[in-house]
Structures are given as structure tokens and as C-alpha cells.
Amino acid sequence: QVQLVESGGGLVQAGGSLRLSCAASGSIFSGNVMGWYRQAPGKQRELVATITSWGSVTYADSVKGRFTISRDNAKNMVYLQMNSLKPEDTGVYYCNAPYSSKNKYWGQGTQVTVSS
């Protein structure tokens, strides 16, 4: 069964940093590209970063240079280091596998709020 558990969100001032963690079940994690998504109130969910099983990464233009995605294949964990946070980064952050047939399952997400 697919399990995705996000953690590490919170309230931070603009310019601050947070590190998000995602604990994923092997059925969704192993061998798959993993990604971090975010959704602001009234907005569509957007993909902000991806990482392949061997560590190749991509980023949305809005977060490039500020966010770093990483993974630990031995622990089935995905991380998102967020630096130089801006108010527009506020939203609920989710992890998932963008190209997996099992990606219809979503975790609870973790709330990130950046104050100005």
C-alpha cells in the first residue's frame, strides 16, 4: 500500500529556511522519480522539484537557486531544503512520484507559512 507522510513544515519569516521530509513506502519510492509539490489556497497544485533514483534533479523556475531536493534510497526518504523563503512559497507541500501509476494517492501534506 502506498504511504506518503510529509513533515517539517511550520511558520517562518521571509528569508528563513525549512527542511521538509517525506517518508514513502517502497511501492511508490523504489526506482521512481520523486517530487515535491505545493498548493496555495485557491491555486492548483504545482510541481516544484523532482529527483530521479540516481540523483538527477529539476526545479521550477520559481524555486531554482533556493530549494534543494534530495533522497535517501536506503531509508525511502525524500527531502526538500528550502532557503531564502518568500511569502509566495506559502502553501501545503506534498511529496509523490510524478510518473508512477500509483500517484493518485496523496499524503496529508505539511503546511509552510512564510510571513512578510
Side-chain angles (χ1 to χ4, degrees):
Q1 301 298 315
V2 172
Q3 288 185 305
L4 296 162
V5 181
E6 300 92 345
S7 62
L11 175 64
V12 65
Q13 291 183 332
S17 298
L18 285 171
R19 182 174 172 84
L20 307 184
S21 297
C22 169
S25 58
S27 62
I28 191 72
F29 185 95
S30 297
N32 283 332
V33 174
M34 295 297 295
W36 281 97
Y37 301 75
R38 68 186 180 191
Q39 187 168 30
K43 303 292 185 180
Q44 292 185 326
R45 180 183 286 121
E46 63 172 334
L47 183 63
V48 300
T50 69
I51 183 166
T52 69
S53 61
W54 59 91
S56 184
V57 301
T58 70
Y59 299 98
D61 288 343
S62 59
V63 308
K64 197 169 298 180
R66 300 187 298 117
F67 290 11
T68 302
I69 188 171
S70 61
R71 66 193 288 164
D72 185 336
N73 290 339
K75 297 181 178 180
N76 288 355
M77 296 287 293
V78 191
Y79 307 97
L80 187 68
Q81 179 66 47
M82 306 186 295
N83 298 326
S84 302
L85 283 162
K86 304 174 180 179
E88 51 263 46
D89 295 319
T90 293
V92 180
Y93 283 69
Y94 303 87
C95 62
N96 216 321
Y99 309 112
S100 172
S101 62
K102 299 179 180 180
N103 68 2
K104 65 181 179 180
Y105 303 103
W106 295 88
Q108 81 285 355
T110 186
Q111 177 70 46
V112 171
T113 303
V114 184
S115 62
S116 60

